[in-house]
């Protein structure tokens, strides 16, 4: 893809950023090499400060499901801004319409409340679970991420010696918060049963990403989500699906509409508003009615910017486009083309790698087989994983160079983007692993 890229302007601006922003970025895992400063996003593309263009699979960790700067979404946002941006009292028609859309599509959503980030949504879901059950503890799963607050920030991408042990995600966390968050192995119902038996009548909620995408893509085993549903009900714990990534991306009804398991509460964000800040917590009316938005409610719910017109207009426009256009057909088809194409390349080159994904999500692990849980991912060759992605950046493909991170296809990606991506992946893998050995011809049986 042409001559070696220059990053001189990014470097200059990054140095300026570092003088005022600790680390030069505004969110911890944005601090990756090369330190790029971006000046434009458009459709499936990113453009950096030196004018280098990238096919973007990082997708800001998931929001631009339709592609960056979608014209219809942006137009609807601009219109809404000119009407009623933030009255901050009562409600607006836009808020009402967004809530009804969520109720229409998300199976668990009898009632809905809007906020601005996924972290707020999971915080509220957990607090209301504690209010309803009168219990303190929650269960999360090793590898799942649910936001930056003390209730959940432990045991995400843990070093091997901390798996299943205390792995606090930050300094300054309350020890009591950490102690009250128990950690189980994903796809292991016995582990969940054991924890619940050890802490009988103490667990308020079980929270999970129904597909843990914060560690790439670990699919739930058949029966795992159904089993969690049954166990949660039997033990009187609230089942929370954190669909901040999977919601809208995998189906208009979230992954719960795909797997047929209905949680008690659901958290949504990211793809819901195609890049504008917007999130929601929704679920059973009897739980949602505990919030103080309703007179008599006892569980505090507030936020200056909740229900602002920018997020609401973006969400409404995004959901209406998802209802109308073949977005999921398109992104699932391109996702499958990428997964299949990568598998063929690995086979052709005799490379030890595994392609994982679902729908629009794909990634290559340097592993022998598909992972069932986080422990399996400890065997992933992290150095190779990151090097592969750094080299792709030089060829104009942006997949964030961080271990275990997923890639996203949007409605703006095209077959031509997929062709270019597969070509670049093959070139980089050849560079990294050398030429194919003659005895490693494709073992194609089909
Ligand atoms: C599954 C999941 N839940 C919650 C969050 C937190 O969302 P936010 O970053 O909007 O606070 C994230 C963010 O990556 C996430 O992936």
């Amino acid at each position: 893809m042409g001559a070696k890229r220059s990053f001189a302007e990014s470097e200059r601006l990054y140095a300026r950023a570092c003088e005022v922003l600790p680390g030069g970025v505004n969110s911890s895992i944005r601090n990756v090499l090369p330190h790029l400063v971006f000046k434009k996003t458009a459709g499936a593309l990113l453009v950096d400060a030196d004018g280098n263009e990238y096919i973007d699979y990082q997708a800001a960790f998931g929001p631009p499901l339709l592609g960056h700067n979608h014209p219809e979404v942006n137009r609807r946002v601009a219109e809404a801004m000119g009407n009623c941006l933030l009255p901050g009292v009562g409600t607006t028609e836009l808020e009402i319409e967004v809530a009804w859309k969520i109720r229409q599509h998300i199976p668990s959503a009898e009632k809905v409340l809007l906020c601005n980030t996924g972290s707020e949504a999971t915080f509220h879901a957990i607090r209301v679970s504690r209010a309803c059950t009168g219990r303190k503890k929650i269960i999360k799963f090793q590898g799942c991420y649910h936001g930056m607050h003390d209730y959940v920030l432990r045991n995400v991408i843990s070093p091997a010696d901390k798996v299943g042990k205390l792995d606090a995600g930050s300094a300054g966390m309350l020890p009591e918060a950490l102690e009250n968050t128990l950690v189980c192995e994903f796809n292991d119902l016995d582990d969940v049963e054991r924890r619940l038996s050890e802490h009988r009548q103490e667990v308020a909620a079980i929270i999970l990403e129904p597909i843990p995408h914060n560690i790439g893509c670990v699919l739930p085993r058949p029966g795992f989500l159904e089993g969690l549903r049954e166990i949660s009900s039997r033990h009187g714990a609230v089942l929370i699906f954190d669909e901040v990534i999977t919601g809208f991306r995998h189906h208009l009804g979230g992954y719960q509409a795909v797997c047929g398991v209905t949680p008690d509460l659901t958290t949504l964000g990211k793809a819901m508003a195609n890049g504008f800040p917007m999130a929601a917590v929704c679920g059973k009316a009897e739980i949602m009615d505990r919030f103080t938005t309703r007179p008599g409610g006892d569980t505090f719910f507030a936020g200056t910017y909740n229900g602002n017109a920018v997020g609401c207009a973006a969400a409404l426009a995004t959901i209406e486009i998802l209802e109308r256009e073949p977005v999921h057909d398109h992104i699932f088809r391109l996702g499958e083309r990428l997964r299949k194409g990568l598998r063929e390349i690995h086979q052709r080159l005799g490379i030890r790698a595994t392609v994982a994904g679902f729908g629009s999500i794909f990634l290559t692990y340097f592993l022998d087989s598909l992972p069932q849980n986080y422990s399996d991912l400890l065997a992933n060759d992290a150095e190779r994983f990151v090097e592969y992605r750094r080299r792709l950046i030089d060829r104009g493909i942006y997949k964030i160079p961080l271990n275990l991170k997923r890639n996203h296809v949007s409605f703006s990606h095209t077959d031509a983007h997929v062709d270019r991506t597969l070509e670049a992946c093959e070139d980089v893998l050849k560079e990294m692993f050398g030429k194919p050995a003659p005895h490693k011809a494709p073992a194609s049986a089909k």
Side-chain angles (χ1 to χ4, degrees), residues 126-306:
I126 291 168
R127 188 152 69 185
V128 78
S129 301
R130 288 180 166 141
C132 289
T133 58
R135 301 173 180 180
K136 280 189 184 171
K137 295 195 186 300
I138 60 163
I139 287 178
K140 80 175 279 287
F141 292 87
Q142 176 71 55
C144 288
Y145 176 71
H146 303 291
M148 52 72 181
H149 54 83
D150 282 18
Y151 292 173
V152 285
L153 190 59
R154 63 170 291 185
N155 295 79
V156 184
I157 299 191
S158 302
D161 60 337
K162 291 204 169 156
V163 173
K165 306 203 178 99
L166 177 59
D167 181 23
S170 174
M173 291 180 74
L174 285 175
E176 295 81 354
L178 287 162
E179 281 159 23
N180 281 303
T181 301
L182 309 172
V183 178
C184 286
E185 185 91 284
F186 192 78
N187 270 331
D188 186 344
L189 288 175
D190 292 342
D191 196 27
V192 180
E193 278 283 8
R194 190 174 51 75
R195 283 314 201 116
L196 285 164
S197 305
E198 281 167 13
H199 298 279
R200 216 165 268 287
Q201 308 288 327
E202 290 179 338
V203 174
I206 299 178
I207 184 166
L208 69 150
E209 296 178 70
I211 301 178
H213 280 311
N214 275 287
I215 46 174
C217 183
V218 176
L219 291 175
R221 275 190 191 132
F224 178 66
L225 298 176
E226 292 81 351
L228 283 184
R229 176 62 283 177
E230 189 277 320
I231 292 174
S232 308
S233 302
R234 180 156 42 82
H235 284 267
V238 176
L239 181 64
I240 306 170
F241 276 9
D242 180 356
E243 297 231 41
V244 165
I245 296 173
T246 52
F248 303 99
R249 177 167 288 279
H250 290 341
H251 192 283
L252 250 170
Y255 191 68
Q256 58 198 264
V258 178
C259 69
V261 176
T262 306
D264 301 305
L265 291 177
T266 301
T267 52
L268 299 164
K270 295 198 193 263
M272 175 177 173
N274 205 53
F276 290 91
M278 169 53 86
V281 55
C282 57
K284 280 194 171 146
E286 70 190 83
I287 303 178
M288 295 296 297
D289 278 337
R290 295 290 293 244
F291 284 116
T292 50
T293 48
R294 194 182 68 86
D298 64 357
T299 307
F300 191 70
F301 189 94
T304 301
Y305 299 106
N306 288 1

Side-chain angles (χ1 to χ4, degrees), residues 293-341:
T293 48
R294 194 182 68 86
D298 64 357
T299 307
F300 191 70
F301 189 94
T304 301
Y305 299 106
N306 288 1
N308 71 81
V310 167
C312 285
L316 205 54
T318 302
I319 296 169
E320 285 173 12
I321 294 166
L322 292 176
E323 289 170 339
R324 189 183 77 212
E325 304 281 340
V327 175
H328 292 102
D329 290 350
H330 181 82
I331 61 177
F332 274 51
R333 185 179 67 76
L334 292 193
E336 190 49 34
R337 265 205 69 199
L338 281 156
R339 287 187 291 272
K340 185 164 175 281

